[in-house]
Amino acid sequence: MDKKPIIFANWKMYKTVEESVRDSLKIDSSIRNPHQVEVFILLSYTSIYAVSQALRGKSVKVGAQNVFWEDSGSYTGEVSPLQLKDAGCEYAMVGHAERREIFGEDYGMIARKFKAVMRHGLIPILCVGESEQERASGKTEEVIRNQLEVAFGGTVPPGGQFYILYEPVWAIGTGVTPTPQEANHINLLVAEVIRGLIGKSAERARILYGGSVSEENISKFLSMDHIDGVGIGKASLDPENFARLVNACIRD
Ligand code: 13P
């Protein structure tokens, strides 16, 4: 399996189409040895097509921050995996903590999204992670285990890779993180739980960390045995800053 570090930007609800195209191109042209890393940007729906066109044949790829599970139908306001693929996406995130907390998504819904994305040959990024209270009451491992059990319930579609993002809710946008060793421990737990749930298919998983990743800590997270990549929110919004973070992980 390809073991390049995976580094993605989650631009959340920021940037116009023009800004997204300009900043994506800036990132693409600033990465030193692009074949050493897998880099993609999760964009607002409105920017996906324009950015994927602008990045054609380049190394940085495009993904969505959310998706619906049906292919088409009367689902006002939703976007299907087919539509994302058509617009140039290769990745789709499911179950980000902001979707769970603000929009009430539960793991039943997230499981359907996860499987729909895989069925269409996109790479899903499934988010798991405990809240501050769950951590304080010593429930981190139980929460992660439950989230994975629901997401992987039933059958998992055959096909390519899937990414799991361990993103503790208390670390998102706060500047506070678990230690690289703590994150590594949870990522190992994720790997073991998935192996227990789906056996050999678990080899398709890559397990990432997200939450306040910065220039100071990115190399430390990526040096851990069970952290295959990182997801970056705030520190990815400035294209020069994000490119610097990516370049910090590239050997000359
Ligand atoms: P921050 O890097 O701003 O903590 O955001 C992380 C995130 O939500 C990535 O999905």
Side-chain angles (χ1 to χ4, degrees), residues 8-10 12 42 93 96-98 127 165 167 171-176 210-214 231-236:
F8 75 82
N10 176 2
K12 307 194 179 185
L42 304 183
M93 180 176 253
H96 191 279
E98 286 151 17
C127 304
L165 177 70
E167 193 161 76
I172 300 174
T174 58
V176 183
S212 295
V213 172
S214 65
I232 308 175
K234 205 188 283 173
S236 74

Side-chain angles (χ1 to χ4, degrees), residues 5-243:
I6 299 157
I7 305 174
F8 75 82
N10 176 2
W11 280 352
K12 307 194 179 185
M13 200 177 70
Y14 291 100
K15 300 184 195 281
T16 62
V17 175
E18 199 181 321
E19 288 163 350
S20 301
V21 168
R22 182 197 64 203
D23 292 351
S24 308
L25 287 170
K26 212 181 264 180
I27 289 166
D28 187 83
S29 62
S30 309
I31 297 177
R32 270 190 286 124
N33 280 324
H35 58 277
Q36 286 188 20
V37 278
E38 176 178 329
V39 178
F40 56 94
I41 305 170
L42 304 183
L43 299 155
S44 294
Y45 289 138
T46 47
S47 296
I48 288 171
Y49 181 70
V51 174
S52 71
Q53 289 292 307
L55 289 175
R56 269 175 96 129
K58 301 192 185 288
S59 60
V60 172
K61 307 291 180 212
V62 166
Q65 301 164 12
N66 185 28
V67 62
F68 191 57
W69 55 77
E70 297 289 349
D71 290 356
S72 60
S74 302
Y75 302 103
T76 302
E78 293 296 330
V79 176
S80 76
L82 271 180
Q83 291 172 318
L84 291 183
K85 211 168 155 178
D86 180 50
C89 275
E90 296 183 40
Y91 306 82
M93 180 176 253
V94 299
H96 191 279
E98 286 151 17
R99 304 255 6 128
R100 283 182 269 142
E101 293 207 324
I102 305 168
F103 302 100
E105 286 192 17
D106 62 32
Y107 267 84
M109 296 160 78
I110 295 163
R112 296 176 78 172
K113 294 182 176 201
F114 182 48
K115 288 169 188 169
V117 168
M118 271 193 261
R119 244 189 339 266
H120 288 284
L122 295 162
I123 298 181
I125 302 133
L126 170 72
C127 304
V128 297
E130 80 286 6
S131 67
E132 190 154 19
Q133 294 95 307
E134 288 162 342
R135 175 176 153 93
S137 50
K139 291 205 173 122
T140 298
E141 299 198 3
E142 181 188 329
V143 167
I144 306 282
R145 200 178 289 278
N146 286 342
Q147 290 172 337
L148 291 169
E149 279 170 4
V150 179
F152 283 89
T155 55
V156 175
Q161 293 194 313
F162 51 85
Y163 297 173
I164 313 293
L165 177 70
Y166 170 52
E167 193 161 76
V169 181
W170 51 271
I172 300 174
T174 58
V176 183
T177 68
T179 64
Q181 291 74 15
E182 284 167 337
N184 192 51
H185 172 78
I186 298 296
N187 279 26
L188 175 60
L189 171 83
V190 169
E192 288 170 351
V193 171
I194 296 174
R195 202 171 313 119
L197 292 169
I198 61 170
K200 213 173 149 36
S201 296
E203 287 168 13
R204 291 160 51 197
R206 306 286 310 272
I207 306 169
L208 324 182
Y209 168 77
S212 295
V213 172
S214 65
E215 200 166 352
E216 288 72 51
N217 61 30
I218 186 167
S219 307
K220 294 180 194 139
F221 283 115
L222 286 176
S223 71
M224 295 287 123
D225 283 350
H226 302 288
I227 299 183
D228 298 321
V230 290
I232 308 175
K234 205 188 283 173
S236 74
L237 289 173
D238 177 319
E240 277 150 26
N241 196 49
F242 181 64

